[in-house]
Amino acid sequence: MARAFLAEGANVMLADIETAALDEAVANLKGAGGQVDSLICDVADAGAVQDAAQRTIERFGNVHILCNNAGVGTGGPLEEVTAASWQWIIGVNLMGVAHGLQAFVPHMKAHGEAAHIVNTASIAGMLCLPNMGPYCATKFAVVAMTEVLAAELVESNIGASVLCPLWVRTRINERDRN
């Protein structure tokens, strides 16, 4: 997404919880178009997302596109998923989206220019998959949140979409790194 936006001349602020991954992403995007910058952010922390929004606005001005694209995975039989795993996946996959909306939508409404929000869910937000209960639950919630958001914004100049990819090559299976 960042590469496509940069190719169109947009400025892009990347946020990640991992410094090394963030630095690598920025290095890979240099020269791809508009300006790219980055910041460390844990989307499960509402204050951190508010700070990220403020820093983004200070760096680039009005925000026109928000991509809530963070995600983690944990699973196994539902009766075996720990409370800590539930809290972690809900914090990132569900509350991360809520925090992004709370941090950026008021700004988008205030500036009044055309804007769009893309929330990344998953095909797991549309299909129930064994041993993926926590992931499916949070991704179903992201689909529902986006549909509600689109309806709430219908009278505004802001659109909302949900992205439900089947499989994307990420490091989500290396969940212990975070």
Side-chain angles (χ1 to χ4, degrees), residues 3-4 23 28-29 35 42 44 46-47 49-50 57 66 68 71 82 84-85 116 130 138 148 151 159 164-165 168 177:
R3 186 171 303 285
D23 292 345
N28 287 334
L29 291 169
Q35 298 178 58
D42 178 357
V49 178
Q50 288 290 341
I57 294 162
L66 168 65
N68 286 309
T82 66
S85 289
H116 199 87
T138 58
V148 169
C164 297
V168 177
R177 74 184 191 279

Side-chain angles (χ1 to χ4, degrees), residues 11 13 15 20 29 35-36 41 47 55 79 83 88 99 113 116 125 130 139 145 153 157 161:
N11 297 321
M13 179 67 83
L29 291 169
Q35 298 178 58
V36 63
C41 182
R55 288 180 52 199
E79 73 273 12
W88 176 59
H99 296 153
E113 300 165 12
H116 199 87
K139 294 305 183 174
M145 288 171 63
L153 295 173
N157 205 14
S161 302

Side-chain angles (χ1 to χ4, degrees), residues 63-147:
V63 174
H64 299 94
I65 302 169
L66 168 65
C67 297
N68 286 309
N69 193 49
V72 295
T74 189
L78 283 171
E79 73 273 12
E80 296 177 12
V81 179
T82 66
S85 289
W86 274 107
Q87 290 170 344
W88 176 59
I89 199 166
I90 289 169
V92 174
N93 292 4
L94 178 59
M95 295 310 299
V97 173
H99 296 153
L101 298 176
Q102 291 168 339
F104 286 93
V105 171
H107 165 75
M108 291 173 160
K109 285 180 174 179
H111 70 58
E113 300 165 12
H116 199 87
I117 299 155
V118 179
N119 294 326
T120 300
S122 167
I123 193 67
M126 302 172 80
L127 302 172
C128 296
L129 304 167
N131 295 310
M132 292 182 63
Y135 188 76
C136 289
T138 58
K139 294 305 183 174
F140 265 83
V142 170
V143 170
M145 288 171 63
T146 307
E147 290 180 4

Side-chain angles (χ1 to χ4, degrees), residues 20-54:
L22 190 57
D23 292 345
E24 182 180 347
V26 169
N28 287 334
L29 291 169
K30 293 290 185 189
Q35 298 178 58
V36 63
D37 204 346
S38 66
L39 51 85
I40 298 298
C41 182
D42 178 357
V43 298
D45 178 346
V49 178
Q50 288 290 341
D51 290 345
Q54 186 59 43

